[in-house]
Amino acid sequence: MSIMLKKWNELAEVKAELAARDWFFATSGNLSLKVTDAPLTFLVTASGKDKRKQTSEDFLLIDADGKPVEDTHLKPSAETLLHVEVYRRTNAGCVLHVHTVDNNIISDVYAQNREVVFSGQEIIKAFGIWEENAEVRIPIIDNYADIPTLANEFAKHIDGDTGAVLIQNHGITVWGRDAFEAKKHLEAWEFLFSWQVKRLLLQRAAVPLVD
Ligand SMILES: CSC[C@@H](O)[C@@H](O)C(=O)COP(=O)(O)O
Ligand SMILES: [Zn+2]
């Protein structure tokens, strides 16, 4: 099996799992998986498609400039430049971007802080941090309509082979050394967002939280 087909199947598997969580509302979301380092090429979801569907036109191979390697009628994700920024700056192997109601609410509620901080949650171990009362934080950036501007702002927060950025009222972009790690981190962030949203609702309902 060619490396391309192997990577295609791997990315298709991740996409099917995230689709099963119903994380691809209204064609939102885009995923990518690195195929080669030199030259850099990666598979990215085709733009505007329903990512819950599985077809032979789900992905296309992209170069280091974010352009299709071969002639195709398919358009790469509108947010391909964000994936390019990660692969150019790190040894990451996978980038996942989803819009969920929880990540949109959290990105807006904490927008003024420019970040969200979580501590003391067991799920934080998913990030490989095992200290007691460990703290994790995720930056929040403005949702610029101009993609190069959004990519530039996003790139300021890329400082390792794993990471994540919330785009206000838009979604989350997470990356990892491989698909397994990127998906694990994405699920951990979405768990934390969902937990915090429900906690805020309980507080708002004046339901005493048992401390
Ligand atoms: C309807 S989702 C809005 C899109 O602009 C974008 O935010 C997104 O996540 C999907 O865009 P795509 O070009 O299909 O990768
Ligand atoms: Zn998006």
Side-chain angles (χ1 to χ4, degrees):
M1 182 185 289
S2 71
I3 179 73
M4 164 87 142
L5 185 55
K6 183 172 171 295
K7 293 292 184 181
W8 181 291
N9 291 340
E10 186 179 352
L11 190 56
E13 202 173 307
V14 172
K15 179 168 158 291
E17 286 187 44
L18 300 186
R21 290 181 180 280
D22 203 13
W23 281 354
F24 295 134
F25 293 96
T27 75
S28 66
N30 39 78
L31 317 176
S32 70
L33 193 65
K34 184 161 69 174
V35 177
T36 58
D37 281 300
L40 168 65
T41 62
F42 60 91
L43 287 170
V44 76
T45 40
S47 182
K49 283 182 166 286
D50 179 349
K51 283 90 183 183
R52 287 170 295 193
K53 301 266 189 294
Q54 197 140 11
T55 77
S56 60
E57 295 191 328
D58 286 349
F59 313 121
L60 52 160
L61 192 65
I62 299 298
D63 66 20
D65 296 321
K67 300 281 186 287
V69 167
E70 296 160 351
D71 286 341
T72 173
H73 66 284
L74 298 173
K75 269 182 62 218
S77 166
E79 292 160 10
T80 295
L81 289 183
L82 281 74
H83 298 249
V84 168
E85 292 295 348
V86 171
Y87 293 128
R88 276 185 177 165
R89 285 171 161 75
T90 74
N91 290 316
C94 181
V95 181
L96 306 174
H97 169 76
V98 296
H99 304 196
T100 64
V101 172
D102 287 334
N103 71 34
N104 272 249
I105 289 172
I106 292 293
S107 74
D108 200 37
V109 166
Y110 295 98
Q112 301 301 325
N113 303 350
R114 312 309 294 161
E115 66 174 10
V116 200
V117 184
F118 294 96
S119 66
Q121 283 294 314
E122 180 71 6
I123 201 88
I124 288 174
K125 287 180 179 171
F127 299 112
I129 306 169
W130 289 68
E131 298 90 40
E132 274 194 17
N133 295 320
E135 190 177 86
V136 286
R137 52 188 67 223
I138 183 168
I140 301 172
I141 64 173
D142 292 340
N143 184 30
Y144 298 99
D146 177 68
I147 295 298
T149 305
L150 179 65
N152 280 334
E153 189 63 25
F154 171 79
K156 293 174 187 170
H157 300 280
I158 301 173
D159 60 3
D161 296 346
T162 63
V165 176
L166 266 176
I167 307 168
Q168 187 181 356
N169 288 323
H170 177 154
I172 186 172
T173 301
V174 183
W175 60 97
R177 283 163 292 207
D178 55 26
F180 175 81
E181 182 174 68
K183 189 170 77 77
K184 182 169 73 167
H185 286 199
L186 173 61
E187 289 170 351
W189 284 119
E190 290 295 333
F191 178 100
L192 290 168
F193 299 153
S194 177
W195 172 80
Q196 183 61 7
V197 166
K198 290 171 176 66
R199 200 161 180 274
L200 292 172
L201 287 171
L202 287 170
Q203 285 168 344
R204 194 67 51 94
V207 172
L209 294 176
V210 178
D211 281 329

